[in-house]
């Protein structure tokens, strides 16, 4: 599960987690949605010293406006994973992402889930971040990794 395009560092990291073992990915892109709380994101930005980013939180597209950028980010990420030698398919999910994640894990027989995300300190503190919530839902190990910035 990702929330932004994978950087080259992210691709290298996730494709080499298991050494030389060939890995296939089912990538779920969770765009910014109306469910996301602008205040929590702004607090996270302040916590990591990104004051300018905190001010701009209200300017970023959400909901339906975030769908097209999310599709482009997903396609880019899938292409990068494939170019690194992995099989990769994916989709943008907007509603009930944890339910969709559970279905994908069950249908694909996934060995593990990787949640690649920026730090979300407030949500993590209260165990409301995607990785913490997924651990109680999917039935396989959930690895939380912090995405690299560009």
């Amino acid at each position: 599960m990702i929330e932004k395009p994978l950087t080259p560092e992210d691709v290298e990291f996730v494709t080499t987690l298991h050494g030389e073992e060939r890995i296939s990915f089912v990538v779920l892109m969770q765009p910014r949605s109306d469910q996301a709380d602008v205040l929590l994101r702004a607090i996270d930005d302040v916590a990591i010293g990104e004051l300018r980013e905190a001010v701009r939180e209200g300017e970023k597209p959400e909901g339906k406006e975030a769908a097209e950028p999310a599709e482009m980010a997903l396609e880019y990420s899938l292409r990068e994973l494939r170019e690194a030698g992995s099989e990769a398919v994916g989709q943008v999910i907007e509603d009930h992402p944890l339910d969709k994640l559970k279905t994908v894990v069950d249908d694909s027989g996934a060995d593990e889930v990787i949640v690649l995300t920026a730090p979300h300190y407030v949500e993590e503190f209260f165990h409301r971040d995607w990785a913490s919530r997924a651990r109680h839902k999917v039935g396989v190990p959930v690895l939380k990794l912090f995405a690299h910035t560009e």
Side-chain angles (χ1 to χ4, degrees):
M1 182 177 273
I2 62 174
E3 59 188 9
K4 67 181 194 99
L6 297 177
T7 65
E9 293 86 1
D10 293 331
V11 170
E12 180 179 357
F13 192 43
V14 299
T15 58
T16 61
L17 276 173
H18 298 286
E20 298 298 317
E21 183 179 338
R22 187 162 168 85
I23 301 175
S24 62
F25 294 91
V26 178
V27 180
L28 301 179
M29 174 72 183
Q30 172 67 40
R32 294 169 63 99
S33 63
D34 297 330
Q35 300 170 8
D37 187 344
V38 174
L39 178 59
L40 286 178
R41 289 193 309 263
I43 291 170
D44 283 337
D45 291 335
V46 170
I48 60 173
E50 297 288 341
L51 299 178
R52 289 186 184 138
E53 194 65 25
V55 172
R56 288 192 286 255
E57 279 299 335
E59 300 170 7
K60 295 181 179 175
E62 292 189 1
K64 296 200 183 306
E65 292 177 7
E68 186 176 338
E71 287 287 345
M72 291 176 18
L74 175 65
E75 288 305 316
Y76 171 81
S77 298
L78 294 174
R79 185 174 55 251
E80 293 298 307
L81 288 167
R82 291 176 189 137
E83 288 178 8
S86 296
E87 295 177 28
V89 296
Q91 68 185 81
V92 173
I93 50 171
E94 296 181 46
D95 297 322
H96 312 291
L98 292 176
D99 292 339
K100 183 62 178 178
L101 181 60
K102 171 72 172 144
T103 300
V104 167
V105 166
D106 291 344
D107 291 350
S108 68
D111 296 322
E112 70 182 347
V113 168
I114 298 172
V115 177
L116 192 65
T117 180
H120 298 290
Y121 297 112
V122 174
E123 292 173 349
E124 290 168 24
F125 180 78
F126 292 107
H127 302 285
R128 300 301 302 156
D129 58 299
W130 290 121
S132 296
R133 293 169 58 198
R135 285 186 182 105
H136 300 288
K137 184 119 181 154
V138 298
V140 298
V142 175
L143 180 60
K144 178 179 180 174
L145 301 174
F146 290 122
H148 291 83
T149 56
E150 296 183 59

